[in-house]
Amino acid sequence: MRTVKTATLALTTVAALLTTAGAAAADTVPSPGTTPTGDGAKALCKRVPKIEQRLERVLDRLGGDATRPGSISRLEKRVENAKKAGHTEIETYLTNKLTFRRSLVPTLEQRQTDLASVKTWCEANADGTTNGTTNGTTK
């Protein structure tokens, strides 16, 4: 009997805590249909180094040799192997995947160029805290 009471009390406590935490979290999330009040410059400036690293890592992987998983060369080799084996469905699937992967390279290179401009802007504007904005809101 005591175990049942203890379990019931524990579950009630957990439910109360989750309800309170859920209400607190709901206060910080913008409601649907609201529009942003700023451009998020400060947050973007803060993330620039990580974005640079991620872009570099992905481009290195895509440009790797046939031994590197995720590389274009490796996928080309898989397409070639499927063609030799006569697996036309597999070849078609991998060819479409290869086409998409090749299209990623210029897109990611463009993002690197754009990010370099953002980095320059961030350095000139105190990481997004000057030039008329503070924490994403207009002064």
Side-chain angles (χ1 to χ4, degrees):
M1 183 73 166
R2 185 174 182 173
T3 306
V4 173
K5 287 182 181 179
T6 304
T8 304
L9 179 61
L11 287 174
T12 304
T13 304
V14 168
L17 289 173
L18 289 175
T19 302
T20 304
D27 290 341
T28 61
V29 176
S31 61
T34 60
T35 59
T37 57
D39 61 359
K42 185 176 180 181
L44 182 58
C45 289
K46 184 178 179 180
R47 292 193 329 260
V48 165
K50 288 187 179 188
I51 296 169
E52 284 178 321
Q53 290 173 349
R54 186 173 38 233
L55 286 170
E56 189 64 37
R57 188 176 59 239
V58 172
L59 285 168
D60 285 347
R61 182 179 344 116
L62 290 172
D65 63 7
T67 62
R68 177 108 188 240
S71 71
I72 292 172
S73 297
R74 185 179 181 100
L75 193 51
E76 288 171 340
K77 182 66 175 164
R78 289 179 63 198
V79 169
E80 182 183 313
N81 291 343
K83 188 174 187 175
K84 285 179 186 175
H87 301 154
T88 55
E89 290 81 6
I90 303 300
E91 179 189 356
T92 301
Y93 174 79
L94 293 176
T95 300
N96 290 336
K97 191 173 179 177
L98 179 61
T99 301
F100 173 74
R101 197 167 289 178
R102 283 180 179 152
S103 75
L104 282 175
V105 174
T107 301
L108 295 174
E109 288 172 342
Q110 181 61 50
R111 285 188 187 167
Q112 271 187 323
T113 303
D114 294 345
L115 191 62
S117 298
V118 169
K119 184 177 182 178
T120 302
W121 183 90
C122 289
E123 290 168 353
N125 291 283
D127 289 332
T129 59
T130 62
N131 198 18
T133 62
T134 304
N135 297 326
T137 59
T138 304
K139 287 185 182 177

